Structures are given as C-alpha cells and as structure tokens.
Amino acid sequence: MNKPVIINTINEIWSHRGSSIGFCYESPDKKYRYVPVSKCMSTTLSTWCDSNGWNKVHDFNRETNLECKYIVVLRDPVQRWCSGVQMYLRCEQRPLELISDDAWSICLDSMILDPHTERQCMSYHGLNLHQMIPINFESPNFSVFKGLTVNKKKEGSRPERIVKFLENERQIQRLKHIYRYDYYLRNWLLNIDLPKFESMNINDPCIWKD
C-alpha cells in the first residue's frame, strides 16, 4: 500500500453504519411500503410510521410484496449533498467550519461519505419503477401519510465552504456525474429535466479543484 499524503478513514468509519439495503416500513393493510433515505425527511416520516402501526421490513427483496406501492422521497442531489456532508461532519468529526482544509479536501475527493451522502438510488435497489409512488422533496405531497403535518424548516445561511462549493461549476458538474442515477430517477418518476452531464474522468482532481 502506498503511503498516503492525508490519512483517510471515511470508509472504515462508516463500514458498519446505516440501514441495510431493503429496509422499509409496511402499512398495516400492506398496501404501501415506505423506504427511508437519509436527508429526505426520513426521520419525520419514519417517526410517523412507527406511531401509526407500520411494520418494519428488513429486506424488501426477500420479504416481497408485489401488490403494494413503494413510497420514495426524491431530493435534488446537490442540495441533499450539501445538507448531508454537514450532518456527516457534525456527527462523526466536528462542524464544517472547524475542520482543516485537508479534511474538507477529503470530503470533496470522496463525495460519498456515509448514509447521509450515499446515492439515493442505492436504497431502492431491486424495486420496480412501476410500483413506486414518488414524492418530490422540493414540493412534497404527503397525502398518503394520513394526518401528517410537516413544517419544513427554513434554511439558514450556508457555511462559507458550502457557498464556495456551490459557486464552483466544475465541482458541481463532478457531483452531478457521481449522482447521475439519482437524477435519472427524478426524471423517470417526477418528469424533472435531466441536467447536462459532462464527460469527465471523475477521479482526476485537477479537472475540478481550484
């Protein structure tokens, strides 16, 4: 193994974290299943499911239900990553504004750091598109969750590093390329236009770093 310039233990830290692929909640009448995804209102919706008698299914690919509809919340990948990377750092290391430039550089190199920044499509592996009920995170309709009232938090000011990240078009293009299958899902299920994906070697840092 080559001697690294910067120690990177992200994969080791998160190798044991997060819900397994296939986890979901099933409604008492077995007509619906909700698949939670981090940073897509999963805490609010999972709490509602627990409070309303929905049962936990640990692997929908094994415990199949061909008659139900799967509820999936789809969020813009760029906005989700900005929220997710801050959650990852706050939970596992220290707030974004307190980490070193080298530590932030590792985050930008890796992009996918933990369940909060993993691709949304990973949680839906094995599902049939025709069984899905999509909910747009940006303009949600939660009518399937009877009686649920959601007051979305007003977003505060962004940390300087996130602002600079969003202003760097090459970094944004790289992120969109890495999360392109999440964009395809939004296109297929919500008819949201696809962004333009640039052809690039995403592993070559010289093409996107300042």
Side-chain angles (χ1 to χ4, degrees):
M1 179 178 178
N2 294 329
K3 182 179 179 181
V5 177
I6 302 172
I7 296 173
N8 180 358
T9 60
I10 286 173
N11 290 335
E12 286 72 18
I13 288 173
W14 277 99
S15 61
H16 64 292
R17 303 295 183 88
S19 300
S20 58
I21 294 174
F23 178 80
C24 66
Y25 289 89
E26 185 175 70
S27 63
D29 60 9
K30 301 186 183 301
K31 291 182 179 180
Y32 299 103
R33 285 181 171 184
Y34 161 62
V35 185
V37 173
S38 294
K39 306 312 295 180
C40 293
M41 302 194 76
S42 60
T43 300
T44 297
L45 297 180
S46 295
T47 299
W48 184 93
C49 289
D50 282 329
S51 300
N52 286 271
W54 287 42
N55 300 309
K56 294 178 180 179
V57 175
H58 294 284
D59 188 350
F60 52 64
N61 287 307
R62 288 180 177 270
E63 302 173 61
T64 57
N65 182 344
L66 301 180
E67 305 301 322
C68 76
K69 293 291 186 180
Y70 285 87
I71 304 164
V72 299
V73 179
L74 303 176
R75 185 174 183 179
D76 175 76
V78 172
Q79 299 304 318
R80 179 173 176 268
W81 189 87
C82 290
S83 177
V85 71
Q86 293 179 77
M87 178 69 77
Y88 157 72
L89 290 171
R90 188 162 60 248
C91 293
E92 289 299 316
Q93 299 197 26
R94 58 183 64 185
L96 179 60
E97 61 272 14
L98 299 180
I99 65 171
S100 67
D101 289 340
D102 286 340
W104 179 235
S105 180
I106 286 177
C107 293
L108 295 177
D109 282 342
S110 301
M111 288 290 182
I112 299 174
L113 306 165
D114 72 328
H116 301 101
T117 53
E118 179 57 86
R119 289 163 294 176
Q120 296 167 69
C121 61
M122 293 293 289
S123 296
Y124 308 136
H125 176 75
L127 292 184
N128 187 322
L129 284 176
H130 298 294
Q131 278 189 271
M132 291 184 174
I133 296 178
I135 294 176
N136 186 348
F137 179 92
E138 281 69 40
S139 55
N141 178 353
F142 292 118
S143 59
V144 69
F145 297 97
K146 304 298 184 183
L148 174 67
T149 301
V150 176
N151 296 316
K152 290 184 72 174
K153 294 180 181 178
K154 207 170 185 179
E155 189 169 353
S157 59
R158 295 181 185 272
E160 183 180 357
R161 280 179 168 139
I162 295 294
V163 172
K164 288 184 177 179
F165 168 78
L166 291 170
E167 291 173 349
N168 189 317
E169 186 57 31
R170 294 303 291 168
Q171 288 180 339
I172 295 300
Q173 283 297 329
R174 181 171 180 269
L175 186 149
K176 288 180 178 179
H177 184 82
I178 292 171
Y179 292 87
R180 61 193 180 279
Y181 294 112
D182 287 347
Y183 282 105
Y184 285 129
L185 265 183
R186 285 161 58 85
N187 174 253
W188 294 333
L189 294 171
L190 296 171
N191 295 315
I192 295 175
D193 291 340
L194 288 171
K196 181 181 179 182
F197 300 117
E198 292 189 18
S199 178
M200 60 174 64
N201 177 3
I202 61 173
N203 295 313
D204 180 3
C206 72
I207 68 169
W208 60 274
K209 280 192 176 179
D210 290 331

